[in-house]
Each structure stands twice: as structure tokens, then as C-alpha cells.
Amino acid sequence: MLFYSALTFSQGLTNTLLLMGISAIMMLISGAKLKKLLVVLLVYGVCGGIFFTIKSLNDSKEENLNLDPKTEVVVAAEVEELPTDNALVQFLTKNFGRGGTWVARFIRHYTPPQLVDQKMNSKNQQEMYARMAQANSNRYGIFPTGVGPGNSRECSRLPLAFSDYIYSIITEELGIVGALFVLLLFVGLVFRAKRIALQCSYAFPSFLVMGMSVMISLQALFHMAINTGVVPVSGQPLPLVSMGGTSTLMVSVAFGIMLSVSRYAIQNAHDKELKKADHDKLPENLRAENPTL
Amino acid sequence: MSKESTLTAEVEDKKAQRNIGDPVIWGIYISLVLISMVESFSASSQIIGTGAGMYAPIFKHAILLFGGFCALLVFYFTNYKNFPSSSHSSLLLPSWLLSSRPSSGRISMVPSVPSTWDSSRYNRPKWLKYLLWLSLHGLRHHTNDAKMYPIEEFSYAPH
């Protein structure tokens, strides 16, 4: 897990954060002590920091080697366009490669001037159009139900509206009512999974169903946070809603696993005869009792 | 197999046939699929020009959703007890899917590391762990889809 997290840290920041979040939540659910959990998070941080530094230095070396005069001019022009770029951000983006870009993104996101005061350019146009789409949802100012399906104005301008920014389009077309409905679907999934987990007799199915629901919902919340500007821009699809290949398949598999647990584990938990037969048939390493009961 | 256990298995099968799973989760799944169809059709206006026609992107998305539904049914009809034994073979699915798209993939040897570390505890033959390592080494894997495996491994490992 540590090695996996460390390697993904150098590959994709948001995926790594999600993975860390899921594993931390799973440890909390399974009843890990806070002290142990903090130690694990500390190790995560140290390993991630080491890989982050190595990757950053590597990237900056590669960039220096493959320096193209034309590219340099374009990058310099784009940096000048941004009024929020202070000396620190410019230093990070120039000297620390991709790693520096991640940190610079956070600094840009949480330091004034805010998005409304900026001019639109290639770097912030996604955020701008996403905000416009959300603002457009209450165009008539009567009832916040949006402009209606198919009447979106920003879908033709917002880059990747069908995957990374579909929540903005949902907000524009279905209004705050539709946006809250989608949010409630994902939150409801966790609560339903919790209910299933509490009904399971054994630890394995209860952890499995909670893990799957947390995985789906955390990714959805991350997507919504990106769309609404709570966290910096990053590519994260909305599970099952965004257009995507393997994402759709894997989320469907996660739903299938949850349904299988609700189908087989719960019915056996209620029936004493079945529970006994089930217990005898289980392999020894799956017979651990549910710790949450 | 004794007579009693056969009878219990029959009763279990019948009960499982009647049980359709959690209705709320079914409801959430169907709602998300419906929202996905409507909103993806609306949001795909940008890529219509590059596709074969107006309905090409949504047709592709519908096929993927149908594929996802088939995958859901496979897992829905599988008893959860069989998941630990199939978790390693399930690694091959996204590896195979993404091996043809290097730009969107990640190196896949990493998720197999916890499996190989713990393999001695599950009485697997020693040669299998090397086989798993070698067969997965070099294929590409999406980190986003790989989140499922730590959950399976975590759920299984503490016991």
C-alpha cells in the first residue's frame, strides 16, 4: 500500500489523495487506533514527500534538457498573462517541474485576487466557464430548477464538459435542485452501505461494501469540489455519470459487489440455519466477526 | 456431501433467487444511469463534430453503460465469498483494457505488490506469486481504477 501510494503520488496527485483518503477511512471503520492511524499517515506523508521531491527534480532536469525556444516564449507569455502569479509561484513552476505546478496550483487557488477579478486565459477558462454554467442555472431568478435538459449554454464552450465538468452542466440544466439530488444520491449510497455493513455477520463483507461506497462517494465529492471551486482544477470524472470507458465499467463492478453483499451476506445473517451453514462453508480467514456489531 | 448440507444449499439458492439485493442501491444505480444518459447527451455537443454523427457519442456511452450493467450482473450473481479468490484475476481486466492505451495508463506491477507480500498467508503455491508478478509486469494500469484492489486486499488482509 505504501509503495503503491508513493508511486501514484508521482503519477497523479488527486488519485493519490483519494487513495489515501479511502485507506484512512477504511482503517477508521475497521477500528484502528488513532495513534496507529497517525503513524500510517505520517509514513504516507514522508514517502510521498520523498517521491514528490525526486519526481520534481527529475521533471525539471528533463524540461531543461528538452528546452525548445518556441515553447519557452509561449510559456513566458502565459506566465505574464496571470496577474496572480507571484515570485514564489513563478519560481516553483520554473524550477520544480510538475511537482512545482501542483504546489503553484494550490497557491494560486487560495490566494487573492479571486477568479472574478481575473481575465480569462487558457489556464483558468475551465473554472470560469464552470462558474458561468452554475450561475446560468438560475437565469430567470424565479425557481432554481435550471434551464432544462438540452438547453445548456456553456456545454459548447466548457472544455471537457462531458467528463470532468459534467456536474456544472447538471447544475446548469437541472438547477440547484438537480445538483442537490445528485449529491444526495452519493451521500445516500454511503448511508445505505453503512446499514448493510451493520447487518453483516462477518468483517469481510461489511468492509467490502463500505469500501466500495466510500470509493464511489469520495470520488464524486472530489469531482463536485473541483466543479464548485473548493479545490484546484484536476481531472476527476463523476462516477457513472461522466462519459468514460473503464471508469463506467469499474464503478458498475463496485455496484455489483455491493449488491452481491446485500444479496448473500444479509439474508444469511437473519436466518440462523443459513448462518450456521454459511459459517461452516467459509474459509477460515473469512470467519472474522464484524467488529462494528 | 451429506443430505443435510445439500438441503441447506438448496434453501440458500432459493432464498438468494428471491432476494434481489438492496433496492435502494438498485435505485441509486438506475438514477445515476438515467442522469448520465440525459446529461452526457447534452454535454457531448462539443465532440459531435469530430464523431460520426449527432448520436455517435451517446451511442458509444450507452454501449459502455450496457457493458457496465453486464459486469454488474456478473458480480451480482457471484457470492461474495468468491471475491477473495478472484481478486487477483480481476486485476487482469483493467490491465488488459488499458494495455492498448499507453497514454491513459499507469504501470501495473504496483497493485500486485501487496498481493505477493501476503500470498504466503493464503496457502498459495510459491511459484504463483512469481507468475502473478511476471504476468502483470509491464502492462499498464489506470490508478483511478486501481482503487478497488486495495479495498479488496484491506478487507481480506486483517483476518
Side-chain angles (χ1 to χ4, degrees):
Chain A
M1 274 289 287
L2 289 173
F3 185 55
Y4 177 61
S5 301
L7 195 66
T8 45
F9 198 98
S10 63
Q11 303 271 346
L13 181 66
T14 43
N15 283 332
T16 311
L17 286 174
L18 273 174
L19 189 67
M20 283 179 177
I22 291 165
S23 56
I25 290 170
M26 289 294 287
M27 282 176 210
L28 273 175
I29 292 167
S30 62
K33 287 178 182 171
L34 194 66
K35 202 177 170 183
K36 283 184 182 175
L37 192 64
L38 286 173
V39 170
V40 170
L41 289 175
L42 187 74
V43 176
Y44 269 176
V46 171
C47 289
I50 292 166
F51 277 88
F52 176 80
T53 316
I54 293 167
K55 177 77 180 168
S56 302
L57 292 172
N58 225 14
D59 279 353
S60 58
K61 270 183 193 172
E62 280 174 17
E63 277 175 15
N64 289 335
L65 283 172
N66 305 323
L67 208 61
D68 180 20
K70 284 180 186 173
T71 323
E72 199 180 14
V73 170
V74 172
V75 169
E78 286 199 351
V79 167
E80 278 171 16
E81 272 178 37
L82 285 173
T84 53
D85 274 1
N86 53 33
L88 178 65
V89 171
Q90 285 186 14
F91 174 74
L92 285 169
T93 45
K94 277 185 181 173
N95 298 309
F96 287 91
R98 186 163 159 71
T101 312
W102 290 338
V103 181
R105 228 179 256 173
F106 274 97
I107 295 169
R108 268 195 211 119
H109 189 79
Y110 292 110
T111 49
Q114 290 299 313
L115 203 63
V116 284
D117 303 323
Q118 292 177 21
K119 283 181 181 175
M120 191 181 287
N121 55 43
S122 59
K123 286 189 177 177
N124 64 5
Q125 64 166 346
Q126 269 189 318
E127 285 178 90
M128 289 276 199
Y129 285 132
R131 301 281 171 89
M132 282 184 201
Q134 286 156 31
N136 194 35
S137 68
N138 197 8
R139 193 191 294 173
Y140 306 112
I142 303 163
F143 193 67
T145 48
V147 293
N151 297 324
S152 171
R153 187 183 67 188
E154 303 299 329
C155 70
S156 54
R157 294 193 288 185
L158 178 60
L160 293 173
F162 49 87
S163 63
D164 292 350
Y165 277 87
I166 200 154
Y167 192 67
S168 297
I169 302 299
I170 291 172
T171 313
E172 187 185 8
E173 294 195 344
L174 307 177
I176 191 77
V177 178
L180 280 176
F181 177 70
V182 174
L183 175 66
L184 283 176
L185 284 179
F186 286 107
V187 175
L189 188 70
V190 177
F191 280 97
R192 198 65 191 179
K194 183 197 159 195
R195 195 178 162 183
I196 295 168
L198 287 173
Q199 285 175 315
C200 293
S201 311
Y202 300 103
F204 174 67
S206 62
F207 287 161
L208 198 60
V209 74
M210 277 311 293
M212 293 297 158
S213 69
V214 165
M215 180 188 83
I216 295 168
S217 301
L218 208 62
Q219 189 180 331
L221 291 177
F222 220 87
H223 173 95
M224 291 170 194
I226 291 164
N227 273 257
T228 48
V230 178
V231 293
V233 179
S234 171
Q236 204 60 243
L238 188 62
L240 214 63
V241 181
S242 293
M243 270 183 155
T246 46
S247 171
T248 309
L249 281 175
M250 299 316 282
V251 173
S252 299
V253 166
F255 268 96
I257 289 172
M258 288 167 75
L259 286 166
S260 171
V261 169
S262 71
R263 195 176 185 216
Y264 290 98
I266 291 178
Q267 64 160 357
N268 294 359
H270 291 311
D271 196 316
K272 281 183 183 173
E273 272 184 37
L274 282 179
K275 192 180 170 184
K276 193 177 175 301
D278 193 41
H279 188 270
D280 296 339
K281 277 195 286 181
L282 277 173
E284 273 187 23
N285 46 16
L286 283 187
R287 286 182 185 177
E289 294 289 325
N290 187 353
T292 53
L293 286 176
Chain B
M1 195 185 278
S2 68
K3 203 176 178 181
E4 271 184 29
S5 61
T6 318
L7 279 172
T8 325
E10 279 176 14
V11 172
E12 192 180 352
D13 283 346
K14 279 183 183 175
K15 287 205 170 189
Q17 278 169 12
R18 263 181 266 154
N19 187 2
I20 58 154
D22 193 72
V24 177
I25 292 179
W26 271 117
I28 291 170
Y29 178 77
I30 291 163
S31 305
L32 287 174
V33 167
L34 290 174
I35 291 169
S36 173
M37 285 297 285
V38 174
E39 294 303 321
S40 297
F41 183 54
S42 179
S44 62
S45 58
Q46 278 177 28
I47 46 174
I48 283 170
T50 57
M54 187 180 166
Y55 296 103
I58 198 67
F59 187 66
K60 189 185 166 192
H61 185 56
I63 289 172
L64 279 166
L65 283 173
F66 181 71
F69 181 68
C70 293
L72 180 145
L73 286 181
V74 169
F75 281 82
Y76 169 70
F77 286 117
T78 312
N79 197 321
Y80 75 92
K81 284 173 258 177
N82 301 320
F83 291 147
S85 55
S86 63
S87 63
H88 299 296
S89 55
S90 67
L91 276 170
L92 293 170
L93 174 71
S95 306
W96 173 73
L97 281 169
L98 288 157
S99 57
S100 58
R101 288 193 300 164
S103 59
S104 62
R106 302 283 184 257
I107 297 164
S108 73
M109 66 175 192
V110 186
S112 70
V113 171
S115 319
T116 48
W117 279 348
D118 289 345
S119 61
S120 57
R121 292 173 54 196
Y122 308 141
N123 302 320
R124 291 192 190 107
K126 274 186 180 176
W127 57 267
L128 188 63
K129 64 179 180 184
Y130 298 113
L131 188 71
L132 270 171
W133 178 275
L134 291 170
S135 63
L136 292 169
H137 185 82
L139 289 178
R140 287 179 178 274
H141 201 286
H142 201 286
T143 46
N144 211 3
D145 299 331
K147 290 199 295 285
M148 198 178 282
Y149 309 120
I151 294 169
E152 277 193 33
E153 291 295 337
F154 187 88
S155 306
Y156 191 38
H159 326 308

